Structure formats: structure tokens, C-alpha cells
Amino acid sequence: MATTEECRSALEKLSDNMAGANGDVREAAALDRSLSCRITDLDVTFVGRLQGGRIEVQDTLQGPPREKAEIRLAMTGDDLVAMVAGELNFAKAWGSGRVKLEAGLRDLFRLRKLL
């Protein structure tokens, strides 16, 4: 099972990957939205912002997020680490229910370019 630190590192790597992207991916990552990533098996939530093409983690909370973020992810720590490492396809994981993504309709259309 992935640790909280491994999950934080995976989010940092994802942020770096998005910041270095070009074209449609860079455009999709250019949103300015509140973000939460709930790691279900560790019962922790990373909260922050997707801003300027980067994920800025501002806090790590025990349990579910206290406020509803504009973009919400939920998955196990192992799935987060595997997705960032390229070992798990996001679209397949989302389609099978292993990963949950909630956002407004416009944001979902933009975020699909990242997926």
C-alpha cells in the first residue's frame, strides 16, 4: 500500500508533467480551480488548486475534505502512484470505477484532454 508521502510525491510529479506539457494538454491544465484528491485507503485528502498548469497542494487532511472542491478526485494510493507512473490508464480506471472524478460539465470537457 502506498504511503501518504508516496501519494504527495505522485501529485508533485503529476504537477511537473502537466507544467511541461504542450498543446491541448497544456491548455486543459491551465484551469484555475480548487482541487481535492481523496486517497480512500489512507483516509487522507490532499486539497489545493489547479492553477497555472500546476497542482498546488495546500494541505493534507485526515478524512474527507471539509469543503467541496470544484474538481474532486478519489482513488486508492496505489492507483494514484500507478497512474502517474504510467502503469494504470486513467480512462480505464475511471470507467471501471477505480478512480472517481467529479467536476462541472465544462471542466470535465476540458479535463478530458488530460486523460
Side-chain angles (χ1 to χ4, degrees):
M1 177 165 54
T3 66
T4 300
E5 291 308 314
E6 289 171 324
C7 293
R8 180 179 282 277
S9 293
L11 285 173
E12 289 172 5
K13 182 177 179 185
L14 177 60
S15 179
D16 291 343
N17 292 347
M18 290 182 347
N22 295 310
D24 288 345
V25 173
R26 185 169 186 85
E27 179 185 329
L31 293 169
D32 181 8
R33 302 285 188 271
S34 59
L35 174 77
S36 67
C37 182
R38 178 145 169 74
I39 307 301
T40 56
D41 57 333
L42 298 176
D43 196 28
V44 303
T45 303
F46 297 98
V47 294
R49 291 200 73 78
L50 174 60
Q51 184 174 17
R54 297 194 66 86
I55 297 170
E56 298 175 14
V57 175
Q58 298 167 336
D59 203 0
T60 305
L61 308 172
Q62 278 303 123
R66 295 179 186 113
E67 296 178 16
K68 185 176 174 182
E70 293 166 297
I71 299 171
R72 299 166 304 281
L73 290 161
M75 67 196 81
T76 67
D78 287 342
D79 284 345
L80 173 62
V81 171
M83 277 193 311
V84 173
E87 300 165 1
L88 177 64
N89 179 279
F90 181 89
K92 289 181 182 178
W94 186 31
S96 69
R98 286 175 67 176
V99 173
K100 294 182 179 21
L101 169 65
E102 296 178 32
L105 188 58
R106 287 185 198 178
D107 289 342
L108 284 174
F109 279 121
R110 285 190 71 182
L111 290 169
R112 71 187 164 113
K113 295 175 186 176
L114 292 172
L115 316 176

